[in-house]
Amino acid sequence: MARNALYAQSGGVTPVINASAAAVIAAARAHPDQIGRVFAAKNGVLGVLAEELIDTACMSEADLAALAASPGGAFGSCRHKLRFGRELTRLFEVFAAHDIGYLFYNGGGDSADTCMKIAAHAEYLGYDLTAIHVPKTIDNDLPHSDCSPGFGSVAKYVGTSIREAGMDVASMCGSSTKVFIMEVMGRHTGWIAASAGLASGEGNLPPHLILLPEVTFNAATFLAAVEATIAREGYCVIVAAEGIKNAEGKFVAEAGGTDAFGHAQLGGVAPYLAQLIKTAQGHKCHWAVSDYLQRAARHMASKTDVDQAMAVGTAAVEFAMAGERGVMPTIVRSSDAPYAWTIGSVKLEEVANHEKHLPAEYIRADGFHITPAARSYFAPLIMGEAIPPYVNGLPAYPVWHFSSIEAKLEAFNTAG
Amino acid sequence: MARNALYAQSGGVTPVINASAAAVIAAARAHPDQIGRVFAAKNGVLGVLAEELIDTACMSEADLAALAASPGGAFGSCRHKLRFGRELTRLFEVFAAHDIGYLFYNGGGDSADTCMKIAAHAEYLGYDLTAIHVPKTIDNDLPHSDCSPGFGSVAKYVGTSIREAGMDVASMCGSSTKVFIMEVMGRHTGWIAASAGLASGEGNLPPHLILLPEVTFNAATFLAAVEATIAREGYCVIVAAEGIKNAEGKFVAEAGGTDAFGHAQLGGVAPYLAQLIKTAQGHKCHWAVSDYLQRAARHMASKTDVDQAMAVGTAAVEFAMAGERGVMPTIVRSSDAPYAWTIGSVKLEEVANHEKHLPAEYIRADGFHITPAARSYFAPLIMGEAIPPYVNGLPAYPVWHFSSIEAKLEAFNTAG
């Protein structure tokens, strides 16, 4: 007897989370004997609590293709730590009201934990639920998966951006800017910053220096490296992870002074480093902080990443159809070059709340760049282009106007 | 009798200045009866003074194609105000030593002034020189040209980036970031910031607010607009030009406090605005500063822009062959839709040191967005994609190792 499925997006979005969504929906449609309606939660688990469910039957195949080629989280995502007690109770009331037999929860490490708790509570209640976690995170810190869908596209964006900006700086360094700093995401791990090292190729091309959260920031060592790079190359291009810390374990970005309002200065590792260099060495510096641009740059998606985001979505449904529960599809690498990968699976308790750090063997001895081993790891993840359609000169991303299905339950006060 | 040509890049580079370079070189090669060798100055006019000239005969047609599809300034550019007296004298010594009969000077408003002065000095000396200025500037502020090569590509980058980041913010605004601010270039004019308005389409899509240097920044009005946008849309996406000023005429970016070193805070309109909103309204904000990324993003070049950059390069040579001097090719628009343009020309004295500001009729009455007239102007400039070749997942931009021809003169001390 067919039961309904629910897909939900959770946590920070990625350039390819919608590709996973499209794959889950398409795969679910292929099993009408087991899966009835395919719902998507509006704004993730908050939408489940609010009983705001979208019936994805409204989406044509063309819609699904457009969905797969768009950034952001089409159905809305959220940052919400699901509370035991009334929230979990409510969740299952909504599940029961809409006969949800399958949950596809698309998120990172915290979400895997939520998904696991939901699965455990279903067991406890005796509610028949197949909960599968679909991996995504630009941070690439999910354990037991060779990489995380979302990461490869961000790596491609960061590598392209620093290669381009590096060429700009190189053109003018004789009489203008000598140092360029690009701040990238990575509060706890340096995967994104490290991946920028691909742009250097085998030689001394930008980025010349990479600052990783895994390496303690020391101003004197850093300044010496900048000076040595300028002496050798005529300029210095730097990629800095937002999460670099000093010897006291404090975020460098928080070491700034006070702003116009007298408050401690808000983040911004790049402007901090620029000022450090300018003050100590007098070099003209420019800096960029790409922030959400890197995480939303679907125009720069890696084809490999899109393929993997869709593969984990499809696999999630296949696992469910095969009767597996409480698992997450993983990417399993069998070869670097030629790159080969398959889909594996891991139990959620092995995923939840574990963070995968950049291995020491990926970091060059001086701490300022990556090793050949790291290059071998990163290289395939950015391969291939998956350029979205353009209309009138801009990527033609769909604008959705989803309405929720009629609610069956009383309204729920999330804040209560 | 064929004489030699010299091509030089000047000022800030653009995503398509190398397309103009490739076009100048190719067009010059097509006139072997009039043009002998085609030199490029290393680092612009500084390279002329230093007698560092590259013989572009070393470049194959494939090299020219790769050149046309790469960012930065391949031969090097510079920021240098040419001094009358010994520098100008030296310039003509170098010209004479290498029989330079044609100068193609590729730059913005300041460069047009330099080019004009060189042309005037040639007349004064009785040195037979055909000097043509090839326009480029991302700022779009060159007068007498409908647009400036370089601008359309930056507009396309900014529009794409803010559309993508806007979708990211929209996904999460219910429980996370409510405001996103992207700072773009434009110290004196708002062309770049205004062009981001294309991403809004006809509706209320991001960016919701655009801050222009042409409109005095008022914190209270701005905060009210942010609040109204959040009330209506659930979130607010802002594009801010780096050069916005307050009622006292001071750059808002310089209105910050002191940094960790006790110095006045370096630039950064975006972090300033984020802090303003956070302090006044408590909304979670994210911000990005794309800086050189926007100016180097050849991967996002507008096909129209590349075509025009090449057209002005070709036209510069054709003008020279037709005996014109002291002019600049311009873009002449004959129709918005369908877009139609031709190449015109203007005397350098009408270009030099004039700045074209954003017309008042392009700015919406409330000062926070653009008008339909502006959209009609901007729309064709970002049309078409000119995607560079990718190798190993990154744009395959050429890495040049040009050597200078043998010097014929004594070394020159620029600093002297």
Side-chain angles (χ1 to χ4, degrees):
Chain A
M1 245 265 300
R3 296 183 67 212
N4 299 326
L6 176 62
Y7 168 82
Q9 302 182 321
S10 178
V13 294
T14 82
V16 299
I17 187 173
N18 288 335
S20 292
V24 166
I25 296 167
R29 287 182 182 179
H31 294 277
D33 47 329
Q34 289 173 268
I35 301 181
R37 299 168 79 182
V38 183
F39 298 117
K42 228 173 195 173
N43 304 322
V45 75
L46 286 176
V48 186
L49 295 175
E51 204 190 352
E52 292 182 340
L53 308 182
I54 297 154
D55 188 339
T56 63
C58 67
M59 302 179 81
S60 66
E61 284 195 26
D63 286 342
L64 291 186
L67 174 67
S70 67
F75 304 111
S77 186
C78 68
R79 293 203 185 282
H80 179 78
K81 197 164 171 62
L82 189 69
R83 280 168 289 191
F84 271 86
R86 59 190 295 277
E87 283 195 356
L88 207 50
T89 303
R90 166 70 175 189
L91 204 74
F92 279 89
E93 287 168 6
V94 174
F95 286 174
H98 298 278
D99 194 26
I100 303 298
Y102 305 96
L103 173 66
F104 300 104
Y105 205 65
N106 201 173
D110 289 344
S111 310
D113 182 62
T114 302
C115 188
M116 184 178 70
K117 283 173 179 158
I118 294 170
H121 200 66
E123 292 259 356
Y124 168 78
L125 292 176
Y127 182 98
D128 183 17
L129 180 74
T130 300
I132 310 276
H133 190 252
V134 186
K136 74 95 194 109
T137 171
I138 62 161
D139 293 326
N140 204 40
D141 59 358
L142 282 169
H144 303 290
S145 189
D146 180 68
C147 61
S148 307
F151 170 69
S153 296
V154 176
K156 189 181 184 85
Y157 173 88
V158 168
T160 297
S161 298
I162 204 68
R163 172 168 287 183
E164 292 180 330
M167 293 176 72
D168 189 306
V169 180
S171 315
M172 311 277 300
C173 64
S175 59
S176 185
T177 302
K178 288 247 182 321
V179 179
F180 179 75
I181 304 152
M182 179 178 175
E183 176 177 330
V184 301
M185 286 178 158
R187 206 144 176 84
H188 304 295
T189 64
W191 291 102
I192 294 175
S195 73
L198 285 177
S200 299
E202 306 291 320
N204 286 324
L205 294 176
H208 304 108
L209 303 176
I210 300 173
L211 303 184
L212 303 164
E214 286 84 355
V215 179
T216 300
F217 178 77
N218 176 293
T221 318
F222 168 67
L223 288 169
V226 171
E227 204 58 61
T229 305
I230 293 175
R232 193 183 70 233
E233 307 290 336
Y235 66 112
C236 182
V237 172
I238 301 160
V239 170
E242 60 181 335
I244 57 169
K245 290 177 181 168
N246 61 22
E248 290 85 54
K250 277 185 62 174
F251 284 120
V252 169
E254 287 172 358
T258 54
D259 62 26
F261 309 92
H263 302 111
Q265 195 183 321
L266 255 194
V269 168
Y272 173 83
L273 295 173
Q275 191 69 333
L276 180 71
I277 292 166
K278 204 188 154 210
T279 305
Q281 304 174 324
H283 298 306
K284 185 177 175 192
C285 296
H286 262 249
W287 53 270
V289 176
S290 51
D291 194 65
Y292 286 169
L293 306 191
Q294 73 200 279
R295 190 174 95 168
R298 180 57 182 79
H299 77 270
M300 182 46 76
S302 150
K303 173 76 163 57
T304 302
D305 192 30
V306 173
D307 289 347
Q308 294 181 340
M310 299 197 76
V312 294
T314 305
V317 175
E318 298 305 330
F319 288 170
M321 295 304 93
E324 291 199 54
R325 292 178 171 204
V327 297
M328 177 183 91
T330 59
I331 313 289
V332 180
R333 181 187 303 221
S334 49
S335 163
D336 285 340
Y339 183 50
W341 56 277
T342 53
I343 294 291
S345 92
V346 62
K347 295 297 285 177
L348 288 185
E349 48 268 37
E350 293 178 45
V351 178
N353 299 314
H354 293 289
E355 229 167 41
K356 189 173 69 175
H357 282 263
L358 198 62
E361 65 266 29
Y362 284 4
I363 304 173
R364 198 172 66 184
D366 69 357
F368 287 126
H369 217 286
I370 59 171
T371 60
R375 262 204 294 279
S376 300
Y377 169 76
F378 289 125
L381 306 183
I382 66 166
M383 291 294 271
E385 290 67 59
I387 296 167
Y390 280 71
V391 171
N392 293 332
L394 295 176
Y397 299 132
V399 179
W400 308 106
H401 299 283
F402 295 121
S403 41
S404 303
I405 59 168
E406 208 178 325
K408 300 185 175 185
L409 304 173
E410 296 289 307
F412 178 77
N413 182 3
T414 315
Chain B
M1 247 262 302
R3 298 182 66 211
N4 298 326
L6 177 61
Y7 168 82
Q9 301 183 321
S10 177
V13 295
T14 82
V16 299
I17 188 172
N18 288 335
S20 292
V24 166
I25 295 168
R29 286 181 183 180
H31 295 278
D33 47 330
Q34 289 173 270
I35 300 180
R37 298 168 80 182
V38 183
F39 297 117
K42 226 172 195 173
N43 303 323
V45 75
L46 286 176
V48 186
L49 295 176
E51 205 189 352
E52 292 183 340
L53 308 182
I54 296 154
D55 189 339
T56 63
C58 68
M59 302 179 80
S60 66
E61 284 196 24
D63 286 341
L64 292 186
L67 174 67
S70 66
F75 304 112
S77 185
C78 69
R79 293 203 186 280
H80 179 76
K81 198 166 170 61
L82 189 70
R83 281 167 287 191
F84 271 86
R86 59 190 294 276
E87 283 195 357
L88 207 50
T89 302
R90 166 71 176 190
L91 204 74
F92 277 90
E93 287 168 5
V94 174
F95 286 175
H98 297 280
D99 194 26
I100 304 297
Y102 305 95
L103 174 66
F104 300 104
Y105 205 66
N106 202 171
D110 291 344
S111 310
D113 182 61
T114 302
C115 188
M116 185 178 70
K117 282 173 178 155
I118 293 170
H121 200 65
E123 292 259 357
Y124 168 78
L125 292 176
Y127 181 99
D128 184 17
L129 180 74
T130 299
I132 310 276
H133 190 252
V134 186
K136 75 92 195 117
T137 171
I138 62 161
D139 293 325
N140 204 40
D141 60 357
L142 282 169
H144 304 289
S145 189
D146 179 69
C147 60
S148 307
F151 169 70
S153 295
V154 176
K156 189 182 184 85
Y157 173 88
V158 168
T160 297
S161 298
I162 204 68
R163 171 168 288 183
E164 292 180 330
M167 293 176 73
D168 188 307
V169 180
S171 315
M172 312 277 300
C173 63
S175 60
S176 184
T177 302
K178 286 247 181 324
V179 179
F180 179 74
I181 305 153
M182 178 178 174
E183 174 177 330
V184 301
M185 285 179 160
R187 207 143 176 85
H188 304 296
T189 64
W191 292 102
I192 293 174
S195 72
L198 285 176
S200 299
E202 307 290 321
N204 287 324
L205 294 175
H208 304 109
L209 304 176
I210 300 173
L211 304 183
L212 303 164
E214 286 83 356
V215 179
T216 299
F217 179 78
N218 176 293
T221 318
F222 168 68
L223 288 169
V226 170
E227 204 58 62
T229 305
I230 293 175
R232 194 184 69 234
E233 307 290 336
Y235 67 111
C236 182
V237 172
I238 302 161
V239 170
E242 60 181 335
I244 56 169
K245 290 177 182 171
N246 60 21
E248 289 86 54
K250 277 184 64 175
F251 284 121
V252 168
E254 287 172 359
T258 54
D259 60 27
F261 310 93
H263 302 110
Q265 195 183 321
L266 255 194
V269 167
Y272 173 83
L273 295 173
Q275 190 69 330
L276 180 71
I277 292 166
K278 204 189 154 210
T279 305
Q281 304 174 323
H283 299 305
K284 184 177 176 193
C285 297
H286 262 250
W287 53 270
V289 176
S290 52
D291 194 64
Y292 286 168
L293 306 190
Q294 73 200 280
R295 190 175 94 169
R298 179 59 183 78
H299 77 270
M300 182 45 77
S302 149
K303 173 75 162 57
T304 302
D305 192 30
V306 173
D307 289 347
Q308 293 181 340
M310 298 197 76
V312 294
T314 305
V317 175
E318 298 305 329
F319 287 171
M321 296 302 94
E324 291 200 54
R325 292 178 172 206
V327 297
M328 178 184 91
T330 58
I331 313 290
V332 180
R333 182 188 302 223
S334 48
S335 163
D336 285 341
Y339 182 50
W341 56 278
T342 53
I343 294 290
S345 92
V346 62
K347 295 296 285 179
L348 288 186
E349 48 268 37
E350 294 179 44
V351 178
N353 299 313
H354 293 289
E355 228 167 41
K356 189 173 70 174
H357 282 264
L358 198 62
E361 65 265 28
Y362 284 6
I363 306 172
R364 198 171 66 184
D366 69 356
F368 287 125
H369 218 286
I370 58 172
T371 60
R375 262 204 295 278
S376 300
Y377 169 77
F378 288 125
L381 306 183
I382 66 166
M383 291 293 270
E385 290 67 59
I387 295 166
Y390 280 72
V391 171
N392 292 333
L394 295 176
Y397 300 132
V399 179
W400 308 106
H401 299 283
F402 295 121
S403 40
S404 303
I405 60 168
E406 207 177 325
K408 298 186 176 186
L409 305 173
E410 296 290 308
F412 179 76
N413 182 4
T414 315

